[in-house]
Amino acid sequence: MDFYITTPIYYVNDRPHIGHAYTTIVADAIARWREAQGEQVIFSTGVDENSQKTVDAAKKANEEIRAYTDRMAEIWQEAWAKLGIANTDFIRTTEERHLETVREIWGRIDAAGDLYRGTYEGLYCKGHEAFIKESDLVDGLCPEHRTAPEVVKEQNYFFKLSEYQEKLLRFYDEHDEFVVPANRFREVRAFVEQGLEDISFSREGKEWGIPVPNDPHQAIYVWADALVNYVTVRGIEGWEEHPADVHAVGKDILRFHAVIWPAMLMSAGLPLPGQIAANGFITNGGVKMSKSLGNGVDPLDLAARYGVDALRYFLLREIQYGEDGDYTEEKMRVRYNADLANGLGNFAARVLALAERESFDGVPGMKDGVPGEEFSGVIAAMRRGVDGKMAAFRLGDALAAIWDAVSFGDRYVNEKKVWEIKDDAARREALLGLVLLLEAIASALAPFMPETSRKIAAAVSRERGVIHIKRPDALFPRISS
Ligand code: ME8
């Protein structure tokens, strides 16, 4: 295994919306890009089931908790399959392999002397699955979830997070790309520099959750359980050998991943992940998507209407990675018609239609089907652009590099008026260059738009050095606006 990437494990109290789909598609594109470079990739996603939200949602649905989580886990798994997500593992935190790993890591943290019993008094927000400060409340409510926090006073186990402030800061100094984008890393560092407080790591008398080893009246705090999923997927030894290279997460859960998780791993004597990449948040027409507003955009509905690849393209291209972005149906249509129907789709259709009538065997001046200099320069620049941008998590810019090549091809067809070239050899040479460019575009597109990439690749075949073209149906039929 060469590369290990993860998504958050999502709560099962709801179905996936485009925000969840976005993080998952980003991780999928990175995983596929790595694989295309010949690396062996582990790509895990899954669901976080041991949350109080699960209990509440099951109650509301009038279902037994286990039956409810089984049903929801399937919904999430199916959604990712429908969106072309090529995860190699799907983890549920109710699985035995996970319980074992959580117990093992809890035991290691305990053995390191980093757990102690204490009394916690505070305000617990179920939406956050975390304690929040009184000073953060607005009119007595959590400003994000608009619910009143639970007043908690109970005995529980504490994790000595405060002990890790210096160690974390030193680690950050030594790993200057531990969190991307850089502005988010600065926020994390500033937070840690303010000083860290110990955190409550268990809850008293909870009916649902992983029991604290040797203290069944306490359930392990859901985040202390959920973060461990990344180790569960590899097993302790596997993680020691090669921990996650990238945890792709949203900015809302960055502190858990960049502060608490590394501290837990340090305490447990395990290696730290390579990088935490945090995406921004997607709004629906400028409004935050939330369960209470019921305005979560359904990615499966969009995929059914525009196609999976169009949805993947929209999310990866429209939103600058790391920054917040906005979804509207109008923006989706504009991108679809301009970049896909008129852009890539039209270019592919033109080239394939012109080339369909030709045979490329033995075109003078061509060396073994290698494109002329002009084309090979454009192809090389596109590949360099994609690789450079992907390495820096600039997925939208990587797509832009591919679209530069599409624009070049379009201009070439128009300026050379390829269809009017009378000289057979010259016309074929131009078309061969265009076909090879289109093939290179298809191959560069594979991590982002796997289906489209396959369709274009399948349109071009070779038989004893002769290229044959079989035109597919329109890749992106125009949508009337
Ligand atoms: O936090 N825009 O699960 P969760 C972009 N179980 N991304 C969004 C988004 C939006 N509007 N809404 C959600 C949890 N996301 C925990 C994680 S991991 C050990 C435990 C994405 O179901 C984003 O990646 O609330 C965010 O971090 C994640 O979904 C939260 O999913």
Side-chain angles (χ1 to χ4, degrees):
M1 199 269 293
D2 309 302
F3 185 76
Y4 174 28
I5 184 165
T6 68
T7 74
I9 50 171
Y10 302 102
Y11 290 127
V12 289
N13 62 331
D14 207 354
R15 290 164 178 272
H17 62 53
I18 49 167
H20 308 111
Y22 176 57
T23 304
T24 310
I25 289 170
V26 164
D28 185 65
I30 295 171
R32 287 174 184 269
W33 171 66
R34 289 280 183 162
E35 215 158 50
Q37 304 191 322
E39 294 189 23
Q40 217 186 30
V41 174
I42 294 182
F43 167 26
S44 73
T45 185
V47 283
D48 186 352
E49 301 182 26
N50 301 321
S51 156
Q52 193 54 39
K53 295 174 201 272
T54 306
V55 179
D56 296 348
K59 246 182 223 148
K60 206 168 155 201
N62 217 358
E63 275 176 82
E64 194 263 318
I65 305 177
R66 176 66 68 154
Y68 173 81
T69 59
D70 284 349
R71 184 169 67 78
M72 291 307 291
E74 207 154 298
I75 286 177
W76 283 80
Q77 216 161 347
E78 267 173 26
W80 299 148
K82 284 186 185 150
L83 297 181
I85 304 300
N87 53 301
T88 57
D89 203 333
F90 185 89
I91 173 150
R92 300 181 54 184
T93 52
T94 46
E95 288 174 69
E96 187 55 37
R97 60 172 175 158
H98 182 64
L99 307 194
E100 276 169 24
T101 316
V102 169
R103 279 188 218 115
E104 166 73 23
I105 289 186
W106 180 277
R108 285 174 175 231
I109 294 176
D110 195 18
D114 283 335
L115 293 174
Y116 62 93
R117 284 191 73 115
T119 306
Y120 199 93
E121 256 193 277
L123 301 171
Y124 195 83
C125 170
K126 276 196 211 169
H128 274 97
E129 282 289 11
F131 285 98
I132 58 173
K133 295 201 175 108
E134 184 141 25
S135 55
D136 290 335
L137 300 183
V138 177
D139 300 329
L141 304 180
C142 162
E144 208 170 303
H145 297 98
R146 307 216 172 108
T147 49
E150 202 185 327
V151 181
V152 171
K153 182 176 180 192
E154 62 184 36
Q155 276 275 313
N156 42 46
Y157 289 88
F158 280 73
F159 172 57
K160 288 187 191 166
L161 184 62
S162 60
E163 300 267 307
Y164 288 89
Q165 182 187 10
E166 290 309 315
K167 287 179 199 138
L168 286 169
L169 289 173
R170 210 170 320 129
F171 178 80
Y172 298 158
D173 282 341
E174 287 160 5
H175 300 83
D176 60 359
E177 291 198 349
F178 180 58
V179 175
V180 286
N183 59 336
R184 297 258 174 249
F185 199 6
R186 283 193 289 276
E187 288 169 15
V188 167
R189 181 189 288 276
F191 172 75
V192 175
E193 278 168 354
Q194 280 173 16
L196 295 173
E197 287 174 19
D198 293 348
I199 54 168
S200 162
F201 242 33
S202 68
R203 298 295 313 276
E204 199 175 63
K206 291 285 166 196
E207 70 210 275
W208 180 249
I210 303 180
V212 168
N214 306 318
D215 195 346
H217 300 297
Q218 295 272 335
I220 295 177
Y221 173 43
V222 64
W223 272 100
D225 138 12
L227 288 161
V228 170
N229 90 84
Y230 305 129
V231 175
T232 303
V233 165
R234 300 279 293 122
I236 300 257
E237 273 174 32
W239 179 275
E240 277 174 336
E241 230 167 69
H242 191 142
D245 292 283
V246 176
H247 290 314
V249 299
K251 64 176 184 180
D252 56 327
I253 58 175
L254 179 56
R255 277 186 200 170
F256 290 101
H257 284 81
V259 182
I260 299 176
W261 179 227
M264 285 172 70
L265 288 165
M266 284 176 181
S267 173
L270 290 170
L272 269 51
Q275 219 167 24
I276 318 289
N279 63 250
F281 257 46
I282 306 178
T283 47
N284 177 1
V287 182
K288 184 183 151 72
M289 287 181 282
S290 77
K291 218 181 162 194
S292 49
L293 287 177
N295 64 341
V297 179
D298 179 0
L300 297 180
D301 168 56
L302 285 182
R305 290 190 290 125
Y306 294 91
V308 169
D309 278 1
L311 171 64
R312 292 173 65 106
Y313 176 79
F314 173 82
L315 291 173
L316 296 176
R317 179 84 194 252
E318 180 78 17
I319 297 152
Q320 177 82 296
Y321 187 79
E323 286 169 27
D324 293 340
D326 189 40
Y327 161 84
T328 63
E329 184 90 26
E330 174 64 15
K331 284 182 183 161
M332 175 87 204
R333 274 169 188 269
V334 167
R335 279 277 175 205
Y336 182 94
N337 280 332
D339 298 3
L340 300 179
N342 297 337
L344 175 65
N346 184 53
F347 173 63
R350 282 175 97 188
V351 170
L352 294 173
L354 290 168
E356 207 173 23
R357 307 183 221 126
E358 307 274 345
S359 152
F360 297 116
D361 198 13
V363 179
M366 300 303 298
K367 297 177 241 107
D368 305 314
V370 175
E373 244 168 59
E374 210 179 355
F375 284 105
S376 44
V378 170
I379 292 170
M382 169 181 72
R383 290 188 181 139
R384 261 198 319 275
V386 170
D387 290 347
K389 300 301 180 189
M390 285 302 275
F393 290 90
R394 303 190 68 88
L395 291 93
D397 293 341
L399 279 167
I402 301 176
W403 258 254
D404 285 345
V406 173
S407 305
F408 167 85
D410 252 339
R411 265 197 320 273
Y412 186 94
V413 174
N414 292 339
E415 281 167 15
K416 296 266 183 302
K417 294 200 169 43
V418 175
W419 62 94
E420 284 181 1
I421 302 175
K422 290 283 176 294
D423 179 66
D424 276 357
R427 190 183 61 254
R428 284 176 172 191
E429 187 172 330
L431 277 168
L432 179 63
L434 286 165
V435 169
L436 296 176
L437 173 67
L438 184 61
E439 276 191 307
I441 287 170
S443 142
L445 272 177
F448 311 95
M449 307 172 76
E451 190 60 41
T452 305
S453 168
R454 267 194 298 273
K455 278 190 195 161
I456 297 175
V460 185
S461 60
R462 289 177 174 73
E463 206 179 323
R464 271 175 265 117
V466 182
I467 293 179
H468 296 282
I469 305 288
K470 192 171 182 309
R471 228 174 353 137
D473 292 340
L475 294 171
F476 304 101
R478 268 188 199 78
I479 288 175
S480 52
S481 34

